[in-house]
Amino acid sequence: MWNYTDKVKEHFFNPKNAGALDEANAVGEVGSITCGDALKLMMKVNPDNQVIEDAKFQTFGCGSAIASSSALTEMIIGKTVDEALAVTNRDIAEYLGGLPPEKMHCSVMGAEALRAAIANFKGEEWVDDHEEGELVCKCFGIDAAMIERAVTVNSLTTLEEVTHYTKAGGSCQTCHEKIEEVLEAVLAKTGALAPPKPHAPGTVGLDAIKPLAPKAEAAPAKLTNVQRMQKIMFAIEELRPQIQRDGGDVELVDIDGKDIYVRLTGACSGCSQSAGTMMGVQAKLVEALGEFVRVKPASLLPVGA
Amino acid sequence: MTAQGIYLDNNATTRVDPDVLAEMLPLFTEQFGNPSSMHGFGAAVGGKIEWARKQVQALLGAAHDSEIVFTSGGTESDNTAILSTLEAYPKKKSIVTSVVEHPAVLALCDYLEKKRGYTVHRIGVDNRGNLDLDAYKAALGPDVAIVSIMWANNETGTIFPIEELAQLAKAVGAVFHTDAVQAVGKIPMTLATSAVDMLSLSGHKLHAPKGIGALYVKRGLRFRPMLRGGHQERSRRAGTENAPGIVGLGAAAQLALMHMTDENTRVKSLRDKLEQAILAAVPNCFVTGNPANRLPNTCNVAFEYIEGEAILLLLNEAGIAASSGSACTSGSLEPSHVMRAMGVPYTAAHGATRFSLSRETTEEEIDRVIAVVPGIIAKLRSLSPYWSQAGAPKEFAPVYS
């Protein structure tokens, strides 16, 4: 049996504001019977001052789903619509003294229903909001936007956490890759890194282990023109035996700053792979010089040069 | 009713019978010897183990007591049966099982399929949980090493036609194993004249302790042990015997045989009373599985438009312990694989609730459950957006549904 807090039990056994609200002017319906979780949030909002004067819910779901719904209504009554919009699923979970990780999706459902109800009050089509993101988990009908919100609000960093919070990926698991993409995109956007995990006293956590600093290398001295030319010639001489084995040859023709002109002869000159050979020469020269250079065929030498 | 309340979750586990416990206790104190030892301490225990073996033999109606191998429980028995057969018949690369098996069989088959290249035929069931016999026959062939089909389903209690299935398997030269963890002690068995080659049972489902079980291995069957080591259990299951557990299982088997009639008369009629009262008092619910052919102690009722964990929490608050095929109770997110395999609609699968009785269940307890259940269901439905005051489901179409 789940280890529910007393507050969760209190809201489950004696839910506050359960039932239909006939005079509701803001209704949010989320979830599905397939998921095993669905919530209809009904609010009566004063159109003049935007204050939520009453809220009721109907929930199909487990103990924590019902408790989360009950808690949500208690939290938002008396708030203005804009104040209510600031309520996150994390706030709902905290209000309840915490939920088991596997049940966090119940609090997410509450936050989603609230957004849907407020959109309904404002005359917005909330479903459009949902469609801005791609449907990621087809089993539970969870889209990218919902995953993004859950990841952002709760600082989620792993696929497993996303599943606990949204249910996405909890069934056939074919969407795991997509979920990871969404997760990575959010983490990249927020710059969030995995929070350091606490480690046992007296031990060093993995996060505390830093990679060894690379050996400090003396800044390369600038080459003279002659030294540079020698390096290029030496590198080409090193390459030649390999090219000759293929029945061809390579010859240095000219050096013009970053442009280095070579001539391929023999089998290499008409070979369909000659572009590849040129690339190989270029790579070798870049490596030898430690700077970026462009290797071009001698035929491209500027006229008059 | 025990001090903790009304316990109707006997398919999960049972209370150790006080007589079973009494048989076990000396094994912890005076008779603590290792049965493999040559001295008197060991010999006394060895004799008790052989006594227990005979009790299990009698419960199963097996021809020889040497056909009983004591194990740590149902999972070990299931794993041993399947792995032993695959090793004994290395050229055969197919396994036949059903979609509603216990994870002890399903997870092993998944592993064998993914990692060891076996072909696994998982036979489906109809909406009453009855095995698709045509699919079963079609799956049988010379490449099938082992058929492993449960005798009775743990969630619905639906009983499979084991003898017929075993004979069909034998006809193609396959070994037939049955996970009979839920069936043993509840329905009579005569393995001596049966085509069943191997059978798994678990002690804690029949008022013996947890951590003890047995595998029936028909005499003459090719066998390869899973646990290798000492020569215990005729070298078929190495490891020092769990002597107290084995003696407990023996005593439990003896009691089960004695109470078999009670199970099929009094317990069954209590189950039926509970079920009929619930069906009469609560709208929009139905019995899952095959009501005409199932274990006498099990009833699984699917309550539409509400969710199982919420039902269990309210039942628990009322002092009643039951179980649910709901996803939320298990930490997984989908309703039970058994409910899904039967095609129980999601509107009801999430609200499937299992009441499993035992010989300790009293009429007074059942009356109490009958009195409490309708109110619990009504309360949760009053919270459900799918339910209206009028009773019939109303229109409710949430986004991302």
Side-chain angles (χ1 to χ4, degrees):
Chain A
M1 184 159 288
W2 301 105
N3 195 12
Y4 284 138
T5 64
D6 288 342
K7 196 82 186 263
V8 172
K9 288 184 204 159
E10 178 195 324
H11 277 272
F12 169 69
F13 289 120
N14 298 299
K16 315 285 189 297
N17 309 308
L21 182 62
D22 293 334
E23 60 271 40
N25 57 353
V27 178
E29 297 182 354
V30 294
S32 86
I33 203 150
T34 317
C35 306
D37 272 333
L39 165 58
K40 181 177 184 181
L41 177 68
M42 294 149 280
M43 309 192 300
K44 185 181 154 201
V45 184
N46 185 327
D48 299 329
N49 58 11
Q50 307 267 303
V51 169
I52 300 167
E53 292 179 341
D54 200 0
K56 285 194 153 197
F57 76 92
Q58 288 177 309
T59 295
F60 163 77
C62 61
S64 50
I66 290 170
S68 293
S69 309
S70 167
L72 172 67
T73 57
E74 290 279 274
M75 291 168 77
I76 59 172
I77 291 173
K79 281 193 163 73
T80 66
V81 162
D82 285 343
E83 285 166 349
L85 263 182
V87 172
T88 66
N89 76 288
R90 186 157 211 88
D91 297 329
I92 298 172
E94 277 167 16
Y95 182 91
L96 289 168
L99 286 168
E102 296 85 350
K103 297 288 187 171
M104 285 300 288
H105 58 81
C106 298
S107 66
V108 171
M109 185 171 70
E112 294 290 309
L114 175 62
R115 292 171 54 85
I118 292 174
N120 173 252
F121 168 71
K122 291 180 172 172
E124 296 164 1
E125 190 69 41
W126 190 67
V127 71
D128 287 342
D129 174 41
H130 243 275
E131 280 173 356
E132 67 192 29
E134 182 192 1
L135 189 66
V136 173
C137 172
K138 295 199 171 83
C139 300
F140 292 119
I142 311 294
D143 63 22
M146 185 169 163
I147 295 174
E148 280 169 21
R149 274 195 293 279
V151 168
T152 309
V153 169
N154 301 286
S155 307
L156 308 184
T157 57
T158 67
L159 169 69
E160 191 186 18
E161 286 173 336
V162 172
T163 302
H164 284 161
Y165 278 66
T166 64
K167 284 196 168 191
S171 182
C172 77
Q173 310 186 346
T174 52
C175 59
H176 278 187
E177 207 174 328
K178 273 191 190 171
I179 296 173
E180 280 172 339
E181 280 171 19
V182 175
L183 184 62
E184 277 167 25
V186 177
L187 293 180
K189 214 188 312 178
T190 58
L193 295 169
K197 293 209 166 57
H199 49 84
T203 65
V204 174
L206 263 185
D207 53 300
I209 301 172
K210 299 277 186 284
L212 291 174
K215 271 188 194 155
E217 279 180 31
K222 195 168 163 41
L223 300 173
T224 65
N225 280 341
V226 174
Q227 285 169 329
R228 191 163 176 266
M229 189 173 76
Q230 281 176 337
K231 276 203 176 232
I232 293 169
M233 287 170 70
F234 184 71
I236 288 182
E237 283 309 308
E238 268 196 343
L239 263 180
R240 286 184 67 211
Q242 195 186 326
I243 294 171
Q244 285 168 338
R245 269 201 301 276
D246 294 336
D249 209 344
V250 59
E251 174 194 354
L252 177 67
V253 176
D254 201 359
I255 302 167
D256 180 11
K258 298 278 181 198
D259 293 337
I260 297 166
Y261 296 90
V262 300
R263 181 177 293 124
L264 295 179
T265 54
C268 289
S269 64
C271 172
S272 60
Q273 305 296 318
S274 64
T277 308
M278 295 294 273
M279 299 260 295
V281 175
Q282 174 164 314
K284 178 78 180 173
L285 292 182
V286 168
E287 187 193 329
L289 294 170
E291 60 172 307
F292 182 77
V293 289
R294 217 174 276 113
V295 171
K296 296 178 172 179
S299 58
L300 290 182
L301 258 176
V303 179
Chain B
M1 183 165 164
T2 64
Q4 291 82 32
I6 300 170
Y7 185 78
L8 295 184
D9 198 14
N10 288 282
N11 285 12
T13 197
T14 55
R15 187 168 78 110
V16 173
D17 190 290
D19 289 345
V20 168
L21 181 64
E23 287 289 338
M24 290 172 66
L25 286 176
L27 277 293
F28 291 103
T29 51
E30 298 89 32
Q31 298 160 4
F32 61 89
N34 186 328
S36 297
S37 301
M38 291 306 294
H39 45 63
F41 289 93
V45 179
K48 286 220 162 187
I49 288 178
E50 291 323 304
W51 169 84
R53 205 182 300 280
K54 285 190 165 58
Q55 306 312 310
V56 177
Q57 176 203 352
L59 179 61
L60 300 181
H64 312 280
D65 61 356
S66 59
E67 293 174 323
I68 310 301
V69 181
F70 291 115
T71 67
S72 66
T75 297
E76 188 193 315
S77 296
D78 288 342
N79 273 247
T80 303
I82 292 170
L83 293 172
S84 161
T85 306
L86 297 183
E87 204 183 322
Y89 298 93
K91 288 185 182 150
K92 297 187 173 191
K93 295 294 180 191
S94 296
I95 302 166
V96 176
T97 187
S98 84
V99 291
V100 294
E101 296 299 310
H102 188 273
V105 169
L106 279 185
L108 176 63
C109 287
D110 288 352
Y111 164 79
L112 290 167
E113 186 177 53
K114 281 187 194 131
K115 304 283 184 183
R116 305 260 297 267
Y118 281 90
T119 302
V120 178
H121 302 279
R122 297 172 184 82
I123 310 302
V125 295
D126 66 13
N127 60 357
R128 284 294 177 198
N130 301 307
L131 201 72
D132 182 345
L133 269 181
D134 291 335
Y136 178 72
K137 286 175 192 162
L140 291 177
D143 190 47
V144 175
I146 184 166
V147 174
S148 180
I149 305 264
M150 61 188 358
W151 198 308
N153 184 264
N154 48 316
E155 290 192 28
T156 61
T158 297
I159 296 170
F160 285 147
I162 285 303
E163 194 52 38
E164 185 186 350
L165 299 176
Q167 284 176 11
L168 287 166
K170 302 308 293 172
V172 297
V175 169
F176 187 87
H177 164 253
T178 180
D179 174 346
V181 161
Q182 292 297 344
V184 168
K186 293 176 192 139
I187 47 183
M189 293 176 182
T190 319
L191 295 185
T193 55
S194 156
V196 170
D197 291 309
M198 286 198 268
L199 174 147
S200 300
L201 68 92
S202 173
H204 75 104
K205 309 287 189 185
L206 53 139
H207 303 279
K210 295 157 190 70
I212 185 68
L215 178 65
Y216 162 85
V217 183
K218 195 177 271 300
R219 180 177 278 187
L221 189 76
R222 252 189 244 180
F223 186 85
R224 303 286 182 271
M226 185 166 80
L227 295 185
R228 291 171 190 272
H231 57 266
Q232 294 90 351
E233 298 295 292
R234 297 169 170 244
S235 298
R236 290 178 300 183
R237 200 276 189 182
T240 300
E241 296 89 340
N242 170 8
I246 290 171
V247 170
L249 178 57
Q254 193 182 36
L255 290 173
L257 200 54
M258 220 160 75
H259 290 289
M260 189 88 75
T261 312
D262 177 62
E263 192 84 45
N264 285 280
T265 52
R266 190 188 65 87
V267 174
K268 184 172 184 288
S269 75
L270 283 182
R271 188 272 314 269
D272 291 343
K273 177 179 179 179
L274 171 68
E275 191 169 281
Q276 281 152 20
I278 289 175
L279 292 177
V282 180
N284 288 74
C285 70
F286 58 90
V287 175
T288 69
N290 185 347
N293 184 26
R294 62 188 158 139
L295 297 175
N297 77 318
T298 308
C299 100
N300 190 316
V301 181
F303 297 101
E304 289 191 300
Y305 308 109
I306 49 174
E307 198 274 337
E309 186 205 290
I311 301 172
L312 294 194
L313 289 171
L314 289 179
L315 281 171
N316 186 59
E317 194 65 4
I320 299 162
S323 176
S324 169
S326 141
C328 267
T329 56
S330 61
S332 81
L333 300 167
E334 283 267 286
S336 95
H337 69 289
V338 177
M339 293 301 132
R340 282 186 296 140
M342 291 191 299
V344 174
Y346 279 99
T347 46
H350 287 288
T353 306
R354 180 183 73 189
F355 302 94
S356 47
L357 288 61
S358 83
R359 61 177 185 251
E360 295 184 337
T361 308
T362 66
E363 180 139 26
E364 186 194 348
E365 289 177 331
I366 292 301
D367 288 341
R368 170 90 188 120
V369 178
I370 290 169
V372 163
V373 166
I376 287 175
I377 304 304
K379 175 176 178 178
L380 288 174
R381 280 181 176 163
S382 75
L383 296 174
S384 171
Y386 294 104
W387 195 256
S388 72
Q389 297 300 325
K394 64 178 172 181
E395 198 176 315
F396 173 64
V399 291
Y400 68 88
S401 62

